[in-house]
Structures are given as structure tokens and as C-alpha cells.
Amino acid sequence: GSRVGTGVGGAGGAGATSTITGASVVYGGGGGGAVLRTSAGDGGGTQGLGGIGGGGAGAGPASSSDTPRAGSGVDGLGGGGGGAAAPNNRNSFGGDGGDGVVIVRYATPTSGSCMPETSSFDSGVYRYNIVEYSTTGSTCTWTKPAGVTAIEALVVGGGGGGGEDGGQGGQGGEVRSLSSTSISGVTSLSITVGAGGRGGKWQSPSHTSDDGGTSSVSGTGLTTITAAGGNGGGAFGQTST
């Protein structure tokens, strides 16, 4: 925004609205204009507001001895820094512009086999990326992204079904973990997720409970990690193994 007149800073221009992230966000707002006072002892005035989209507010002197500092633009929104002014040729500081951002969006199917859930979190120097597979009945392939040299893994087998007719509860699936392991020579991993066992049914057509399926992670040069499924619970008079 530019200066409207003595004592009034212009508002920064509104930026552009985008819904690329799934939410409506405004980027690239202009910085507010400076407050200019012509009298050495004259303070106050109305600073220019930062534009919607991360623009910093303008600044002017509160008194003849003041050193105004304008607001900076918001990082990640690319907002412009606010303008600043001071009387008597005193020093003043315009706000820094906010860092820009690049967002890439792509679409993947929402159903079908081998559709992992992805998430991430920051911990100090590193960003940890999580890929969670829960689709049973097929072997999935995880392709190693460029620059990845090590992984950790958690492998859980399917739980056993509960027994019928006063039966026992099914056994939980085995839980195996892999601490940080080098995969410098690995290009992809094969992922198998064990299904939960079917519960028993006493009335016709009756059936006993099923064991849970085995889950595993394997790849060339990587020791296969296997987690057995839990045993199905026995019915009345039976014993789960």
C-alpha cells in the first residue's frame, strides 16, 4: 500500500486466494503503507494495514524521537513487508517480505488395493515420513524415494478370531519392530498385511474361529521381518493353541 496522505498509510492490496491445500488460503498480500508526519513533534497517525494474504502493516513515528519498524510479511504466504517513515530524516525500518512457498498437488485413487495412509512429523533436524499399509489380501510395493538411506518399521500380524459358544477370545497378532536400518542397496520393499481372523459361529452353518494372517516386510538385501497372526479362540470345551 502507498501513503494516502500525511498521517494516513494506505492498506496493502489483497492477495490471491487458492484452495490447493483443501482450505481457502490467501497468498501474496501487499504490505501496508507508511505513516508520514511532516512535523518534528507530531506523532500518531493511521498506519496502513497489511493486505490479506500475509502482508505486513506499515509504520510511522509515535513521537519525534521514535524509530518506526514496519511489520514483516508472513513467511510461507509471500506477503509484502510494510512501509515505514519518520520525521526529521530519522531512521526507519521497512518490514521484510515474507518467504514464498511452492505447493504441488496430485491425485491418487481413494479406493483399491495398496493405498497407504501417509503422514509426517518434525523432530529437530529431521522430518519423519510415515507410510501405513492396512490393505489385506495382496502384496504391496513400497518404492524407496530418492535420498532415503535408512528406515524403521513396525509389523503387526492380524488378530485371531474369537471362539463361539462360550469360547475364548482370539490371540492378538504378533508385534515386531525394526530399528533404524540401512537400505542403501534396497530399491523397493514388499509389504504384506495379515487379515484379522474370522470369529467362530455356533449356529448353523457353524464354523470355528480362524487364525489371523501373517504380516511381513521384505526386500533384496533386507532381512525379512515377519509377524505371525494370532490364534483363533477355542469354543466351549476347546483350547486355543
Side-chain angles (χ1 to χ4, degrees):
S2 59
R3 178 171 56 84
V4 174
T6 301
V8 181
T17 302
S18 173
T19 58
I20 191 171
T21 63
S24 181
V25 179
V26 183
Y27 300 87
V35 181
L36 181 62
R37 307 300 294 182
T38 58
S39 172
D42 196 7
T46 303
Q47 65 185 19
L49 299 177
I52 298 173
S63 68
S64 61
S65 60
D66 190 27
T67 301
R69 297 177 181 271
S72 296
V74 177
D75 288 341
L77 295 181
N88 292 341
N89 295 320
R90 296 184 62 84
N91 199 7
S92 61
F93 296 88
D96 296 333
D99 293 342
V101 65
V102 175
I103 300 172
V104 178
R105 185 170 78 174
Y106 59 93
T108 58
T110 57
S111 62
S113 63
C114 298
M115 295 302 303
E117 294 184 11
T118 60
S119 60
S120 63
F121 67 92
D122 292 334
S123 177
V125 178
Y126 298 102
R127 166 162 289 186
Y128 291 92
N129 299 289
I130 314 299
V131 182
E132 181 176 337
Y133 290 88
S134 57
T135 302
T136 62
S138 60
T139 298
C140 302
T141 300
W142 175 78
T143 302
K144 182 179 73 173
V148 174
T149 59
I151 63 166
E152 300 170 75
L154 177 71
V155 184
V156 182
E164 74 280 9
D165 188 22
Q168 300 168 319
Q171 182 183 36
E174 183 181 15
V175 180
R176 299 282 306 277
S177 60
L178 177 69
S179 58
S180 184
T181 299
S182 172
I183 57 168
S184 57
V186 176
T187 58
S188 63
L189 297 176
S190 294
I191 311 290
T192 301
V193 178
R198 181 181 61 166
K201 184 174 180 290
W202 178 61
Q203 293 183 338
S204 179
S206 63
H207 57 79
T208 58
S209 62
D210 294 334
D211 295 341
T214 298
S215 298
S216 65
V217 176
S218 62
T220 303
L222 179 73
T223 300
T224 299
I225 306 299
T226 300
N231 295 324
F236 180 75
Q238 296 178 329
T239 302
S240 176
T241 57

